[in-house]
Amino acid sequence: MAGKSQDKVQQEASIQKNQVLEDFRWAVTSRHASLMGRKEVFMGKAKFGIFGDGKELAQVAMARAFQKGDFRAGYYRDQTFMMALGELTVQEYFAQLYAHTNVEADPASAGRLMNGHFATRFLNEDGSWKSLTSQYNAAADVSPTAAQMPKLLGLAFASKLFRNNKGLKDLSDFSVNGNEVAWGTIGNASTSEGMFFETMNAAGVLQVPMVVAVWDDGFGISVPQEFHTTKGSISEALIGLQRTDTETGFEILRVKGWDYEGLIQAFESAGQLARESHVPVLLHVEEMTQPQGHSTSGSHERYKSKERLQWENEWDCILKFKEYIISSGFATADHLDEIEGEVKVEVKRQKDAAWLAFSGEIKVELEEVLSLIRSTAERSSRKILLLQLADDLKKTINPIRKDVVSTVRKILFLIRGEGEAIKKDLKDWYSQLQEKNFDRYNSHLYSQTAAAVSHCQVIPAQVNENSPLVDGREILQAFFDYTLEHNPQFFAFGEDVGKIGDVNQAFAGLQSKYGEWRVMDTSIRECTILGQGIGAALRGLRPMAEIQYLDYLLYGIQLLSDDLATLTYRTKGGQKAPLIVRTRGHRLEGVWHSGSPMGMILSSLRGMIVCVPRNMTQAAGMYATLLQSDEPALVIECLNGYRLKEQMPQNIGEYTVPMGIPEVLREGSDLTVVTYGSMCRIVMDAAAELAEIGLSLEVIDVQTLLPFDTQGIIGQSIQKSNRVLFADEDVPGGGSAYMMQQILDNQNVYSYLDAAPQTLAAQAHRPAYSTDGDYFSKPSVEDVVEKVYQIMHESNPKKFPAL
Ligand SMILES: Cc1ncc(C[n+]2csc(CCOP(=O)(O)OP(=O)(O)O)c2C)c(N)n1
């Protein structure tokens, strides 16, 4: 200090004062947004509210340490952080509370998520990447507690890759030498989840630039800390992760949620350590409060003691911040009151603007429809009733879209028997509204960009009589070799993927050829393998995450379902994570190595592509398609196919297999069997046997279950054969029932059927061990033969007598 000029000292003091007052402004802005938000819910203007009050101070400190290019994966308390970064206006905050369906109004979720789910937009409207290093990035939030953690690992891991994999050094829109920190936030109670512990361990092993801030307010809704965490403290419980002079690990810091200077210092040093040295940091922020309780669902007075409530009042971080500012001489109490007064007016102004914008759109629709109903009523025989419905609609307090649409639908039903001229205006208006509402509520389950799988170029595999016969796994190996050479953003990882090149050797030799940053081993942690992939894909890389066996996908299905599969939908195209999940399933052995839980997958992964290649030639072509696209996918290779012989295509790496286009494997006229994966071979064998008694089967491999037969190929086959059987290895009512539903609901085949459509599945239990266990559990050639024969018997018992 002694050597500094007076000017310099004054400048530093004024910078600090400006900073402190700016932070104060953000803290109280956020607090008043919380207070007003709660009232909006109780007034019936929003359905549910969860707010960030009590967590403000730590978040302004985190925003100070957060830099352009960094990523946040957090949860519903982070509004102050987002506001202080400049990534969330108060108006946007309220737009989400009201569920305003406009991307401009609510850039995080276009009204699709309840309030407190934050996100920035990573993509331009056409789906191309923005420059992520020039902006602050918040990965789109999810509600399940701790589900933000696995992708946080991936966001941090990407920095590690960008720093160490020289092939990525030119991707300056995604990283600058891996200097980006991934910041996570999580509530103290949520640290009890397995995902949290799995992520922490993996981050310690991988040494990635990840800072995890735990917002500790001593409760998880009503349940106090002693029920959540060993020793009542997550930083105490995790002390074994602490790095030492000789061992790598975590840096663990503790700070109080009301201590402004402590928070600023802690976040700054955590950020610096992670950024420069890629050391993960656990930042335990203790003594936080929750002034309004957990959410609008109930009062915290039900479960907090009087003493606790009083302590929370006294140790409120904004109160403490005020005391600090005044005692440090940065401002007087009057000045702070003045700022708070201004803030209150501004928050109210933006809240009102958000409401006006939200309700204004609905009002326009309501006025339009009222005038249409009235003019329709003039022409209708149900005039009085229609005018009454219009009147009721007009009287609705805080009308929503449902009020408008349900009235229109009721009226269209009432006047169904009247002439077209009477109904036309209302019907036309409604059909236009349906399109708009589809865009508002139902669009973007899948990519809507030029890189959607449906737009990928189809290049057939080239095989001729000279193409060598090789093991299936060698086709995959050749494909991965080609892709590692030609696509620097591609990398593959999973249990046993690195050194031995996966348990079936499709990556054999490729780690030594391309290095440990391209083909790598991981620990046994399916959930965070997937999270690692999601986070890396969010940052522009093309990861292939391997789940060793399909049966173990269950460890990660929640993450795929809640996070990856909903990502495009819940951000309305604002983010993408085109992760490819590779796994192998169907036939092998026993209860845990031969499952085909396709019904479970199909029900939970809408939003992802699901490929079920029957062999490795098809699998390689599917991977090529997926790598051209911007959609996340699950590919299930056939466990028993790696050693089966296939011809090596000449254009390996280049040919593609289109998604949603079934392939007719055998033409026939008596009955269509629709199947996929390992069952293709079984059905083809059955078809050969049945041909011997003059029965002609058409066998169709659907190839992908999501999307499913987008061109109606199966329907066309049924028009010809008039009979259909859907066969797979899932439980009854699983994948086979799904295929039947798709065809019956979408392809209008009912009138072409001469026999009831049927399914053939495995037994309801998982398969018993060994070859006999398989035979008596899963569909066999005999099962297919007998099932088909039975259908034919019912059609023509004379020609096909009972067995
Ligand atoms: C997997 C899952 N289980 C339960 C819930 C319901 N829930 C929402 S918030 C919450 C408490 C979380 O407490 P904490 O992690 O301490 O965060 P805080 O809300 O106190 O900030 C619970 C149980 C959920 N969202 N997800």
Side-chain angles (χ1 to χ4, degrees):
M1 201 60 97
K4 286 187 182 171
S5 70
Q6 193 61 24
D7 274 3
K8 181 79 183 157
V9 172
Q10 266 174 358
Q11 194 192 2
E12 274 182 13
S14 88
I15 286 170
Q16 207 182 0
K17 177 179 169 178
N18 288 346
Q19 168 187 327
V20 168
L21 292 187
E22 195 186 347
D23 287 349
F24 178 73
R25 199 173 270 277
W26 283 124
V28 287
T29 297
S30 174
R31 176 64 61 91
H32 283 287
S34 298
L35 298 174
M36 286 185 210
R38 188 173 172 86
K39 285 193 187 129
E40 293 300 279
V41 175
F42 291 143
M43 281 167 67
K45 287 162 77 180
K47 223 172 167 190
F48 173 78
I50 192 154
F51 306 106
D53 46 311
K55 316 284 185 293
E56 292 93 346
L57 211 53
Q59 293 185 27
V60 294
M62 181 164 127
R64 291 245 165 242
F66 197 90
Q67 295 186 7
K68 293 241 165 98
D70 284 358
F71 287 79
R72 162 203 166 273
Y75 79 116
Y76 47 80
R77 300 284 180 213
D78 292 347
Q79 66 193 50
T80 319
F81 169 76
M82 295 298 291
M83 287 177 185
L85 271 191
E87 293 299 331
L88 176 71
T89 65
V90 172
Q91 184 164 338
E92 288 164 355
Y93 178 76
F94 279 95
Q96 191 179 53
L97 185 74
Y98 302 136
H100 194 160
T101 52
N102 213 318
V103 170
E104 285 73 38
D106 169 21
S109 71
R112 291 177 175 193
L113 303 183
M114 62 168 64
N115 90 309
H117 288 76
F118 308 107
T120 53
R121 299 191 80 75
F122 295 1
L123 305 176
N124 298 306
E125 227 170 282
D126 63 0
S128 59
W129 291 100
K130 295 185 176 197
S131 171
L132 301 185
T133 43
S134 317
Q135 63 179 36
Y136 299 120
N137 304 292
D141 290 357
V142 287
S143 279
T145 49
Q148 68 273 38
M149 296 299 295
K151 78 171 159 238
L152 177 66
L153 178 75
L155 292 168
F157 178 69
S159 287
K160 192 94 193 161
L161 276 183
F162 280 117
R163 187 170 288 181
N164 291 287
N165 176 353
K166 299 299 166 226
L168 303 174
K169 71 177 179 345
D170 295 332
L171 298 169
S172 58
D173 282 341
F174 295 102
S175 176
V176 178
N177 191 35
N179 290 341
E180 304 74 28
V181 175
W183 302 78
T185 67
I186 185 166
N188 56 292
S190 304
T191 63
S192 310
E193 294 278 12
M195 282 182 171
F196 174 80
F197 284 93
E198 193 177 311
T199 300
M200 296 299 277
N201 177 57
V205 169
L206 293 170
Q207 288 293 289
V208 289
M210 178 178 108
V211 177
V212 177
V214 178
W215 304 150
D216 189 346
D217 57 19
F219 283 83
I221 309 188
S222 64
V223 181
Q225 188 70 324
E226 59 264 33
F227 288 94
H228 294 296
T229 309
T230 309
K231 301 183 181 176
S233 160
I234 193 64
S235 50
E236 282 294 324
L238 292 183
I239 208 74
L241 294 182
Q242 172 70 52
R243 66 190 180 135
T244 65
D245 289 345
T246 53
E247 296 158 314
T248 58
F250 265 75
E251 185 65 10
I252 299 180
L253 304 174
R254 287 191 196 97
V255 62
K256 311 288 185 204
W258 45 263
D259 173 8
Y260 179 72
E261 280 189 1
L263 286 162
I264 292 281
Q265 261 171 26
F267 277 98
E268 197 179 301
S269 67
Q272 197 177 349
L273 188 59
R275 199 179 305 286
E276 288 173 7
S277 315
H278 282 189
V279 172
V281 182
L282 170 67
L283 213 166
H284 186 187
V285 185
E286 298 172 285
E287 298 190 16
M288 287 183 139
T289 68
Q290 210 175 67
Q292 300 191 110
H294 176 78
S295 69
T296 51
S297 295
S299 154
H300 58 157
E301 276 136 25
R302 288 172 301 160
Y303 49 81
K304 285 182 188 163
S305 67
K306 272 201 182 106
E307 295 72 33
R308 171 75 196 186
L309 288 167
Q310 191 178 337
W311 179 88
E312 290 205 10
N313 278 336
E314 286 165 10
W315 292 86
D316 183 303
C317 64
I318 292 185
L319 187 70
K320 288 283 151 201
F321 194 23
K322 278 185 189 167
E323 288 171 12
Y324 163 79
I325 295 171
I326 296 164
S327 67
S328 306
F330 290 125
T332 61
D334 286 349
H335 188 188
L336 294 184
D337 286 347
E338 200 181 305
I339 292 176
E340 195 161 356
E342 284 166 20
V343 161
K344 232 170 141 173
V345 171
E346 179 57 15
V347 171
K348 183 174 179 318
R349 188 191 68 75
Q350 292 200 43
K351 171 190 71 99
D352 292 343
W355 177 254
L356 212 66
F358 165 73
S359 59
E361 274 183 14
I362 297 174
K363 224 180 217 161
V364 169
E365 283 170 16
L366 186 112
E367 292 301 333
E368 278 176 16
V369 83
L370 284 176
S371 112
L372 269 171
I373 295 171
R374 286 183 191 123
S375 59
T376 306
E378 289 308 319
R379 302 190 292 268
S380 165
S381 62
R382 317 294 299 267
K383 178 176 174 179
I384 295 173
L385 198 53
L386 263 55
L387 290 178
Q388 182 61 50
L389 284 166
D391 231 34
D392 292 347
L393 182 59
K394 195 175 165 53
K395 283 187 204 144
T396 315
I397 299 167
N398 296 335
I400 55 173
R401 291 209 164 85
K402 179 183 168 209
D403 299 314
V404 172
V405 170
S406 77
T407 304
V408 171
R409 292 171 76 178
K410 270 184 202 138
I411 289 173
L412 288 174
F413 191 76
L414 273 172
I415 60 174
R416 63 192 178 281
E418 302 201 8
E420 202 49 38
I422 296 171
K423 301 183 288 193
K424 187 174 182 323
D425 292 350
L426 193 59
K427 265 173 80 173
D428 287 351
W429 184 85
Y430 177 50
S431 99
Q432 282 172 19
L433 187 68
Q434 274 177 308
E435 260 176 54
K436 282 191 204 158
N437 282 340
F438 183 88
D439 177 62
R440 285 168 178 146
Y441 298 102
N442 311 113
S443 71
H444 290 84
L445 178 58
Y446 287 92
S447 168
Q448 299 196 355
T449 74
V453 287
S454 53
H455 299 309
C456 286
Q457 201 192 351
V458 181
I459 302 171
Q462 288 165 11
V463 183
N464 60 30
E465 66 278 8
N466 298 324
S467 304
L469 265 182
V470 296
D471 285 352
R473 69 125 198 133
E474 291 176 81
I475 292 182
L476 289 177
Q477 187 187 26
F479 172 81
F480 292 138
D481 193 356
Y482 177 96
T483 305
L484 283 160
E485 188 178 337
H486 289 86
N487 186 348
Q489 275 137 291
F490 175 78
F491 68 100
F493 63 106
E495 296 153 20
D496 303 295
V497 170
K499 195 158 194 159
I500 64 166
D502 93 37
V503 286
N504 293 95
Q505 302 225 293
F507 278 96
L510 298 181
Q511 186 186 63
S512 53
K513 185 165 177 187
Y514 294 97
E516 291 184 3
W517 296 110
R518 305 295 306 283
V519 183
M520 54 197 101
D521 284 316
T522 67
S523 162
I524 305 171
R525 47 174 179 81
E526 286 74 15
C527 176
T528 50
I529 287 174
L530 296 173
Q532 203 170 327
I534 294 171
L538 277 165
R539 292 191 60 185
L541 297 172
R542 293 308 311 246
M544 174 175 279
E546 179 173 316
I547 298 297
Q548 201 162 74
Y549 297 101
L550 176 58
D551 306 68
Y552 307 123
L553 189 73
L554 269 85
Y555 277 70
I557 196 93
Q558 182 265 332
L559 187 75
L560 293 183
S561 183
D562 283 327
D563 193 351
L564 187 58
T566 65
L567 181 68
T568 301
Y569 175 80
R570 75 181 193 269
T571 58
K572 205 177 181 195
Q575 294 185 8
K576 63 179 172 186
L579 168 66
I580 298 175
V581 181
R582 173 183 183 227
T583 188
R584 50 188 74 84
H586 309 314
R587 302 255 158 175
L588 188 67
E589 288 299 344
V591 171
W592 294 285
H593 292 85
S594 57
S596 297
M598 302 310 303
M600 175 192 80
I601 288 167
L602 291 165
S603 296
S604 54
L605 299 189
R606 303 295 164 106
M608 286 181 69
I609 307 294
V610 175
C611 302
V612 279
R614 67 179 177 276
N615 60 31
M616 304 311 159
T617 308
Q618 298 305 102
M622 289 172 182
Y623 288 132
T625 305
L626 292 169
L627 284 166
Q628 281 179 28
S629 90
D630 63 0
E631 310 215 44
L634 170 68
V635 181
I636 302 165
E637 295 166 9
C638 295
L639 250 170
N640 58 356
Y642 296 107
R643 305 273 161 201
L644 297 178
K645 298 290 181 198
E646 297 178 36
Q647 279 190 297
M648 176 71 80
Q650 288 158 341
N651 54 345
I652 190 86
E654 286 165 4
Y655 72 87
T656 57
V657 169
M659 303 282 135
I661 314 290
E663 190 175 331
V664 178
L665 301 183
R666 178 185 175 116
E667 293 199 11
S669 53
D670 290 326
L671 187 145
T672 301
V673 184
V674 181
T675 191
Y676 59 88
S678 299
M679 276 293 286
C680 289
R681 276 193 297 278
I682 287 169
V683 173
M684 288 296 275
D685 288 351
E689 274 191 28
L690 287 163
E692 287 171 19
I693 61 160
L695 268 175
S696 164
L697 253 56
E698 179 133 316
V699 180
I700 299 184
D701 173 11
V702 303
Q703 304 218 78
T704 64
L705 287 161
L706 291 172
F708 190 83
D709 190 12
T710 53
Q711 295 183 355
I713 288 169
I714 297 169
Q716 285 160 24
S717 170
I718 295 170
Q719 282 186 29
K720 187 174 63 169
S721 69
N722 311 117
R723 294 177 192 88
V724 63
L725 174 68
F726 299 92
D728 78 354
E729 298 179 33
D730 195 4
V731 293
S736 58
Y738 162 82
M739 294 194 289
M740 182 150 87
Q741 175 270 332
Q742 289 287 306
I743 298 305
L744 294 187
D745 281 358
N746 303 333
Q747 294 196 17
N748 201 21
V749 294
Y750 182 71
S751 57
Y752 297 104
L753 287 169
D754 288 345
Q758 297 209 28
T759 63
L760 174 65
Q763 294 294 318
H765 56 76
R766 295 180 186 200
Y769 174 59
S770 197
T771 305
D772 278 348
D774 178 274
Y775 185 79
F776 290 104
S777 305
K778 291 217 165 187
S780 61
V781 173
E782 290 77 17
D783 289 329
V784 178
V785 166
E786 288 165 13
K787 185 84 181 180
V788 169
Y789 188 87
Q790 183 63 24
I791 296 171
M792 300 311 294
H793 163 74
E794 278 161 28
S795 294
N796 189 346
K798 260 200 185 145
K799 191 165 172 200
F800 303 103
L803 290 175

